[in-house]
Amino acid sequence: MQVPFLDLKAAYEELAEHSEPKMLESLRSGWYILGPEVSQFEQDFARYCEVSHALGVANGLDALRLALVALDIGPGDRVLVPSNTYIATWLAVSQCGAIPVPVEPDPATHNITAEGIRAAMVPGAKAVIPVHLYGQPADMTAIMAAARDLGLKVIEDAAQAHGACWDGRRIGGAGDIVCWSFYPGKNLGALGDGGAVTTNCDTLAERLMLLRNYGSREKYRNEVAGFNSRLDPVQAAFLSVKLAVLDDWNTRRGAIAARYLSELDGLDLTLPHVATKADPVWHLFVVRHPERDRLAADLAKVGIQTLVHYPIPPHAQAAYHDMGLTDEALPLATTLAREVLSLPIGPHLSTAQIDHVIKSLRQLV
């Protein structure tokens, strides 16, 4: 039996009846940059996230970069970032001329904490970027309190957390700006690159609107030195259809996670930990094993595809070699990179496929 890590074709086919007419309508409209399709999705996504404003941008990295610029983060500033995250979180900081300062995560949740932020605080720090990793929301109550005490702006990286909640509140508006990716593999994924920013601040929303569109609200009049980063109308049309089923698909993921947590308990695996106030959306189901590579190879032999999120932490990438950060300085990020393994948890897995994953792990671990 073959178990793909994520079946994007099946996801498209489930939505095709509704998404294809909507995308065709967008194509036939003759409006291919911003416009009513994007505006409607922005309104719907803002409502879903329980915030005042949502603005579509070209991708998740741009969302982070625009958020930093909107908050006047620039050359020489320090920005606290997780040591264990996808490199885009760090790249956005670098692209603004600022300097990433790694924060080691909580070993249970793999998210950064208020205590970790306080411990990593350095002179010149202007902002912190908590990442809701794997779809597990970080403790935004404590992080916001710490940020206020330390005078830090808060930019949430919610690229993996569409629909997640902390303490009963949707991720999307706790920080100053929240950044989203609609990369195809995300819970709310497009048919190519896409992203968004959400905020409850009218002033920041206005600034972000200018920054994504060449610094212009009126053609050929540029108020600030902006960027070209806009969500395509065809992608917005598809995302509007997918948004309507997002909660249902997240529930499917949650049901798979519940089986994994129950039926893999007791094995020589470190299973995900869900914080008391967290309502995750299970973008990824990440386990830890001391012989990760061997286990992944054995699972592949029986048709089960797994992935590693992430095999090389940002500090160990050649892109950040000049920072001189060592594995010894960031031991948890280094250990996680050696041990983490993501199991299939897509919303289109069949019961038989889930059974196969569980049975195989019971035999191989």
Side-chain angles (χ1 to χ4, degrees):
M1 177 179 290
Q2 297 299 308
V3 184
F5 182 76
L6 181 65
D7 192 342
L8 291 178
K9 186 173 183 291
Y12 180 81
E13 289 173 346
E14 182 176 338
L15 299 177
E17 180 183 355
H18 300 289
S19 64
E20 288 180 355
K22 191 166 180 61
M23 288 188 293
L24 185 59
E25 180 182 348
S26 178
L27 289 169
R28 288 174 171 168
S29 72
W31 199 318
Y32 304 127
I33 299 291
L34 297 177
E37 200 69 65
V38 173
S39 295
Q40 184 61 58
F41 171 71
E42 290 171 340
Q43 293 173 32
D44 294 342
F45 190 58
R47 189 178 308 111
Y48 179 83
C49 295
E50 302 171 359
V51 295
S52 302
H53 305 280
L55 294 164
V57 298
N59 53 67
L61 174 55
D62 275 7
L64 290 164
R65 181 175 59 163
L66 293 173
L68 288 159
V69 173
L71 291 168
D72 296 317
I73 307 297
D77 292 334
R78 267 63 176 175
V79 178
L80 304 181
V81 294
S83 60
N84 176 54
T85 185
Y86 184 56
I87 198 170
T89 315
W90 287 46
L91 291 175
V93 175
S94 302
Q95 289 174 4
C96 296
I99 301 167
V101 177
V103 179
E104 285 273 82
D106 170 38
T109 65
H110 301 190
N111 280 325
I112 63 172
T113 64
E115 293 77 15
I117 292 167
R118 292 181 189 277
M121 186 66 181
V122 294
K126 298 289 183 65
V128 59
I129 307 180
V131 178
H132 303 296
L133 200 62
Y134 316 145
Q136 297 275 359
D139 182 347
M140 291 310 300
T141 307
I143 287 173
M144 290 304 299
R148 284 193 293 269
D149 289 346
L150 298 170
L152 297 173
K153 297 294 186 181
V154 178
I155 300 166
E156 297 175 64
D157 184 338
Q160 301 180 2
H162 311 83
C165 296
W166 177 261
D167 198 15
R169 180 182 179 184
R170 291 264 200 204
I171 298 299
D176 294 285
I177 302 173
V178 184
C179 301
W180 306 86
S181 169
F182 301 134
Y183 181 79
K186 306 300 185 187
N187 290 35
L188 183 60
L191 299 176
D193 276 321
V197 289
T198 55
T199 182
N200 280 314
C201 177
D202 296 346
T203 302
L204 285 174
E206 181 80 4
R207 184 160 170 76
L208 288 161
M209 182 190 70
L210 290 172
L211 286 170
R212 72 167 176 181
N213 190 42
Y214 296 99
S216 172
R217 76 185 80 214
E218 181 182 346
K219 197 168 185 178
Y220 302 130
R221 294 184 181 274
N222 304 83
E223 300 173 36
V224 297
F227 303 85
N228 174 19
S229 183
R230 303 170 295 199
L231 182 65
D232 292 335
V234 175
Q235 298 292 1
F238 180 75
L239 287 167
S240 292
V241 173
K242 201 167 186 179
L243 181 61
V245 300
L246 177 59
D247 285 343
D248 177 57
W249 286 18
N250 284 344
T251 298
R252 295 186 206 175
R253 289 175 179 269
I256 298 168
R259 285 201 60 189
Y260 283 163
L261 289 169
S262 172
E263 298 178 48
L264 298 177
D265 188 33
L267 300 183
D268 185 23
L269 286 175
T270 302
L271 298 175
H273 170 76
V274 179
T276 302
K277 295 182 180 181
D279 184 6
V281 291
W282 299 105
H283 173 62
L284 299 171
F285 190 95
V286 178
V287 300
R288 290 174 61 185
H289 191 273
E291 298 179 12
R292 187 269 313 286
D293 293 341
R294 188 272 303 169
L295 179 59
D298 288 347
L299 289 169
K301 290 175 184 176
V302 293
I304 299 170
Q305 182 185 21
T306 59
L307 293 177
V308 175
H309 298 88
Y310 298 95
I312 305 174
H315 78 268
Q317 297 282 1
Y320 288 100
H321 175 74
D322 61 347
M323 290 186 67
L325 295 167
T326 64
D327 289 348
E328 291 73 22
L330 298 168
L332 187 51
T334 301
T335 299
L336 291 176
R338 288 197 303 261
E339 295 185 355
V340 294
L341 185 67
S342 300
L343 304 181
I345 197 171
H348 294 86
L349 286 177
S350 68
T351 299
Q353 287 173 320
I354 301 164
D355 290 343
H356 182 53
V357 173
I358 294 169
K359 180 180 179 181
S360 297
L361 282 167
R362 286 188 168 278
Q363 295 171 342
L364 294 170
V365 172

